């Protein structure tokens, strides 16, 4: 059985079951081990690699996830297109729990996370004006509409450091900027994918209204897990539909983002 794959998924442990004939692969990277051994399997005739973002036992909080190792390991196995399902909060009452959002923009409000592969040897500046793969987003939107999701076809995801949730004042400030979604894992994941010339497409499941948007006790982990658990099967099916719809040949801008740059390291 081949341990290579062209497509990758970074998500929750509930995604193991959408692959057939799984083989676990341990990948050594210059940045340490990934969150867990990579599960490589079949889906509709395509080879797919899966990494549980937080580890299968959820041992990595958002600010300690080995993001660099995860993306490097996927590329080392041949992955060039990545789907990234995650739970997010909503910064607007218009996007309630159970909504699927495919954001088109990202704002980084994290601190202290390693967020580049090119931190020595030479300065490397990659384009990140549009942080997500346009063809991946198109495939995701088409599949979500076909599956009759309550869908937000764009939006701005603000990524906070975590692991705590926002204060009401922070939440209202984020919403006041016009940002619509809030999460803890979308950065540096997206920029690291760009630095490896990978296509990266987020699938954001809204699990709650953020603290400044709704009165009450605020966001709780129980609420997030409950809503995510109620929707994970449907989200898993959607990811499978998108995987089968993604083109085998990439003609988006993502493969060419490093063209003309003298890289200080050799990519896998």
């Amino acid at each position: 059985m081949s341990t290579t794959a062209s497509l990758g998924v970074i998500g929750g442990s509930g995604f193991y079951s959408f692959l057939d004939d799984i083989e676990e692969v341990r990948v050594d990277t210059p940045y340490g081990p990934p969150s867990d051994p990579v599960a490589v399997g079949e889906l509709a005739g395509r080879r797919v690699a899966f990494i549980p973002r937080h580890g299968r036992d959820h041992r990595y909080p958002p600010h300690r996830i080995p993001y660099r190792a995860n993306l490097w390991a996927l590329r080392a196995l041949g992955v060039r297109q990545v789907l990234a399902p995650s739970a997010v909060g909503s910064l607007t009452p218009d996007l309630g729990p159970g909504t699927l959002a495919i954001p088109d923009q990202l704002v980084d409000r994290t601190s202290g996370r390693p967020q580049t592969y090119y931190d020595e040897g030479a300065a490397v500046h990659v384009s990140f004006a549009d942080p997500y793969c346009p063809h991946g987003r198109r495939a995701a939107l088409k599949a979500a509409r076909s599956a009759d999701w309550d869908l937000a076809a764009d939006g701005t995801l603000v990524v906070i450091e975590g692991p705590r949730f926002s204060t009401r004042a922070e939440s209202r400030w984020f919403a006041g900027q016009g940002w619509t979604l809030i999460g803890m894992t979308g950065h540096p994941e997206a920029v690291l994918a760009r630095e490896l010339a990978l296509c990266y497409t987020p699938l954001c499941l809204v699990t709650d209204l953020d603290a400044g948007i709704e009165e009450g006790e605020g966001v709780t982990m129980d609420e997030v897990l409950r809503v995510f658990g109620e929707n994970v099967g449907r989200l898993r099916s959607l990811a499978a539909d998108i995987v089968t719809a993604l083109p085998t040949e990439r003609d988006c801008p993502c493969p060419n983002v490093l063209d003309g740059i003298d890289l200080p390291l050799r990519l896998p």
Side-chain angles (χ1 to χ4, degrees):
M1 181 186 300
S2 171
T3 55
T4 62
S6 61
L7 302 170
V9 176
I10 306 176
S13 57
F15 279 78
Y16 272 107
S17 59
F18 87 139
L19 297 179
D20 297 322
D21 300 322
I22 288 177
E23 180 176 353
E24 291 196 345
V25 183
R26 295 187 179 274
V27 183
D28 294 324
T29 86
Y31 310 96
S35 298
D36 253 322
V38 185
V40 180
E42 293 279 344
L43 179 62
R46 305 190 72 173
R47 300 291 292 170
V48 180
F50 168 71
I51 293 180
R53 184 182 284 114
H54 295 275
R56 70 185 69 196
D57 55 358
H58 218 84
R59 64 188 177 277
Y60 292 110
H63 63 299
R64 299 297 298 275
I65 291 170
Y67 294 100
R68 291 194 294 184
N70 286 351
L71 273 301
W72 189 276
L74 289 177
R75 183 177 167 103
L77 292 175
V79 168
R80 295 298 182 266
Q81 299 177 83
V82 177
L83 291 181
S86 66
V88 300
S90 170
L91 292 169
T92 168
D94 296 337
L95 306 180
T99 300
L100 180 76
I102 315 290
D104 60 340
Q105 278 297 317
L106 178 151
V107 173
D108 172 28
R109 292 291 297 172
T110 66
S111 61
R113 301 183 184 189
Q115 58 177 288
T116 183
Y117 292 106
Y118 309 116
D119 48 9
E120 58 183 38
V124 174
H125 307 285
V126 298
S127 175
F128 203 55
D130 298 299
Y132 306 123
C133 175
H135 292 188
R137 290 190 70 254
R138 188 181 309 145
L141 290 168
K142 183 177 180 180
R145 290 186 177 111
S146 295
D148 201 28
W149 278 86
D150 185 5
L151 181 65
D154 54 20
T156 297
L157 171 65
V158 55
V159 184
I160 61 174
E161 179 69 2
R164 70 170 178 85
F165 294 117
S166 299
T167 67
R168 296 188 195 280
E170 289 168 333
S171 179
R172 290 170 184 143
W173 183 72
F174 297 151
Q177 308 311 302
W179 308 336
T180 53
L181 304 165
I182 182 167
M184 298 181 188
T185 62
H187 181 88
E189 210 169 76
V191 71
L192 293 172
R194 179 62 53 85
E195 287 195 342
L196 295 179
L198 304 177
C199 299
Y200 181 93
T201 304
L203 306 174
C204 296
L205 177 68
V206 175
T207 57
D208 57 89
L209 296 177
D210 209 47
I213 310 306
E214 185 177 53
E215 296 300 325
E217 64 177 318
V219 183
T220 67
M221 197 62 198
D222 285 346
E223 178 185 11
V224 170
L225 292 175
R226 178 184 62 78
V227 176
F228 193 82
E230 290 172 353
N231 289 274
V232 68
R234 194 174 178 212
L235 187 61
R236 188 169 58 230
S237 295
L238 175 67
D241 291 341
I242 298 168
V243 162
T244 58
L246 285 171
T248 56
E249 298 294 330
R250 297 194 296 162
D251 58 358
C252 57
C254 308
N256 305 315
V257 70
L258 300 175
D259 288 359
I261 299 176
D262 186 14
L263 297 179
L265 53 79
R266 182 187 296 273
L267 300 185

